[in-house]
Amino acid sequence: MELHLHDTVELKKEHPCGSRQWEVMRVGMDIKLRCLGCGHEVMAPRRKVEKSIKRIVSKEEHT
């Protein structure tokens, strides 16, 4: 999966705040995500993050 800095992704599971959309803050072996609902940040291994992504939200859809 090709992820880029500042992409918006939609995850399969909903965050406790109710949001499913996250912004990619760091890309590498680990990926850092920030919840667009509450601002919570998490860092997880790339493999785990890629499994939990439902889709990458397009730029037009996000704005």
Side-chain angles (χ1 to χ4, degrees), residues 22-44:
W22 295 73
E23 179 182 1
V24 177
M25 301 302 293
R26 178 177 184 266
V27 180
M29 286 299 290
D30 293 322
I31 295 179
K32 185 174 187 178
L33 299 171
R34 178 176 36 197
C35 178
L36 293 177
C38 65
H40 181 75
E41 294 183 358
V42 295
M43 194 162 199

Side-chain angles (χ1 to χ4, degrees), residues 8-19:
T8 300
V9 295
E10 184 176 321
L11 301 186
K12 295 175 185 173
K13 284 183 87 176
E14 194 172 270
H15 190 247
C17 74
S19 176

Side-chain angles (χ1 to χ4, degrees), residues 1-4 7 46 50 56:
M1 182 176 288
E2 196 170 323
L3 292 173
H4 301 285
D7 275 353
R46 183 180 198 100
E50 286 180 349
I56 298 173

